[in-house]
Amino acid sequence: METPVSEGLGSKRSLRKKSGQKNYDENLMDEFIEKHIGSAFRKIRTKEELEKETETEAMIALSLGFPIDALIEDEIKAGVVRELGGKEQNDYIVVRNHILSRWRSNVRIWLTKGQIKETVSNEYVHLLSAAYDFLLYNGYINFGVSPSFSSYLPEEATEGSVIIVGAGLAGLAAARQLLSFGFKVVVIEGRNRPGGRVYTQQMGKKDKCAAVDLGGSVITGIHANPLGVLARQLSIPLHKVRDNCPLYKPDGVLVKKEIDSRIETVFNKMLDKVNELRKIMGGFANHISLGSVLEKLRQLYAVARSPEERQLLEWHLANLEYANAGCLSDLSAAYWDQDDPYEMGGDHCFLAGGNWRLIKALSDGVPIIYGKTVDAIRYGIEGVEVVAGNQTFQADMVLCTVPLGVLKRKTIRFEPELPQRKLAAIDRLGFGLLNKVAMIFPRVFWGEELDTFGCLNETSDNRGEFFLFYSYHTVSGGPVLIALVAGEAAQTFERTDPSLLQHRVLSKLRGIYGPKGVDVPDPIQTICTRWGNDPLSYGSYSHVRVQSSGRDYDILAESVGNRLFFAGEATTRQYPATMHGAYLSGLREASRILRATRGRQNYFRRSVQRNVGPSSDQLADLFKWPDLVCGKFSFVFNPLTEDPKSMGLLRITFDNCKDDVRKVLEKNSDPLSNQPLQLYTTLSREQAHELQKVTGEEETKLVYLINNIGLKLMGANTLGNTYNSLVSSISNARRGRGGRISSVVNSFLANLVAIQGSIGQITAYTSRFPGMVDMFDSHCFMGKVATSPIVCTPDMLVLKKPSDLSPPLFFKLSFE
């Protein structure tokens, strides 16, 4: 139920010139790949080679949306470096760019940390881990449909459950990514096929057939485009859409190049004037349409006065309506082109055999239920329900990828109702039409050398009717022409009898080629699209309407209560109205769902039949040596990772509680008795450090934990499989890292309660095991490291802590 393409970008005749556009040359990638294969390790390259490679990698990263000398917002939020600015950030950026470039050099292979370590100096290993994890879990590397990826995917679901509504590009991208993260996923699709608005139809007869894209068709800019990555993984050839696009008058006469070029220049200057005017007008420009401004400019400067000039100008206006799937009278003069700075660079391409080849690969192995139209989505603190006919599906979260047209029609009922700001954004954004007449002929009568040609119309009302033809004979397997219908003509098109439409388009073709002595045969088959009447789309793709802005795309992308998520081309501010935008939005939401899941303690369904948690002995053993102690708050984490998002356990011991705290606890944990008790929850390292910073009494930390972080406390007897898995992983990791502990020290640790002697009593200690000196958490003691050894033996080091800290002494073990 998803995904169009901004095919107006397919014809470059009327594209706006972008000043200062930054995109790397595809030759840089070719050079990088060629040089990288069989090359020596990065560590032993010369300084000049490293500098050149670093520059190339920076340009590749830039094309993927990463600035050369700064972090993107998501990296800052993820805390990939300890301090913004400075050497560590610069080193991180170099490592990040290197990882991106390494994977882009061979997108068919799963890139591992081990492979990166071979080409990065040891001093940057900690940055390597941060960069790799960020890129992996945010969909920048190791995404797609390469068969070799299967061996790296989890065999069983370990994270949670997600229902995805819609099997278009956004839904399929998210589904595959979530499956790779360890989620249980099911996709519910209203059609009897995947792809949504990306739809390839087989046309013709057995001896003359072809694959024709009736929806999204043009890959708009191949540089850094994720759809180009998919094509490379599948070894599917791409055909560059050639620039030559002759235009024909209504009477079939070819438009002369001189007048064609002159009116195109006039058109571009008019758009430049619009840009100047909106800067002067400020916010008022958002209350007027692009069409009204262009018409005022045409009258003011008295351009395109002759009938031929006016028809040429109208053709460019039709092409603009095609790019935006909307009438110029609807487009915002202020923000209609707000996504221009993010446009993908490079050639525009057709995919050989049609885009169904991508859809087929993406849907392979994904659980999809077809023919189920969703009626309602219910969401709340306990999970979600999706109602389709007489069936109800339950999960932890739901991702809605239906087109904006469906959201506007309110055919899906949300319970509770969506937030008002989201409803307002849905109403403000535009969702327009592009229709097609697809025809397969007995032969290519229009010439093998053309990919596009255009036709002028006599009036402005019908300027978008059959104004542009795409030839698909190079990629479809047969002699296929597609006539495009945009603007007001696209709306009239849906109310017109198909036989009349075929007659009109053939009359136009015969008017062009008849005078040349070329016979235009009747088509073998004709298909007319009706995207506006399709109940699973109600249109083609989105645009910024008057009084809307790019901010509305962001609002549509916002999740609701970390249970209900949204993806699709109308949820991406940078790449709306494109196939790659839809795909990228799916990767984005998969990452958001993962973060929401790991940030929430109770993410498994209540319907789990068995709730077998860790034993009391396991928990007691684990918390003998906590990683961090803050009064009655004890924390343990996996010692094998320093990822701030990695999950650990928190135990809180309660002797007695104030009345207000008791009320909070009884709402968020098991019933309390008057006896001391211990409650548990899961949280990330990041959340633990956030909790550390809370000042005040321990009750203040507790209230912050429950009300601000939103965690739920549980007694040991009600801990479920979530905790069982986490306790096992931490315990196994500790055993693995502590393998070199001697039996004497093992016994010492197991029985340690306190050390008594002339040096005083030790009441705090680290849980880090021998051989892990580099992992010792000095930050757990307020960043102050003791320097005065009291006892020093081959097996143990006892240090005196600064006098301003309590307790007064601690020790750490050091074995090499």
Side-chain angles (χ1 to χ4, degrees), residues 27-88:
N27 293 330
L28 286 175
M29 174 64 81
D30 295 336
E31 180 183 342
F32 176 79
I33 295 171
E34 187 175 316
K35 188 173 182 180
H36 203 85
I37 295 176
S39 63
F41 285 157
R42 184 182 180 89
K43 295 178 184 176
I44 60 175
R45 293 188 181 184
T46 66
K47 181 179 179 181
E48 291 75 17
E49 287 176 323
L50 283 173
E51 287 178 351
K52 182 178 179 182
E53 186 173 283
T54 298
E55 290 176 2
T56 302
E57 291 172 348
M59 292 302 294
I60 293 173
L62 179 66
S63 74
L64 297 171
F66 290 90
I68 289 178
D69 57 355
L71 303 178
I72 63 173
E73 183 179 352
D74 286 343
E75 286 178 304
I76 296 173
K77 290 179 179 178
V80 294
V81 294
R82 289 168 292 189
E83 184 178 347
L84 296 179
K87 183 178 185 302
E88 185 183 54

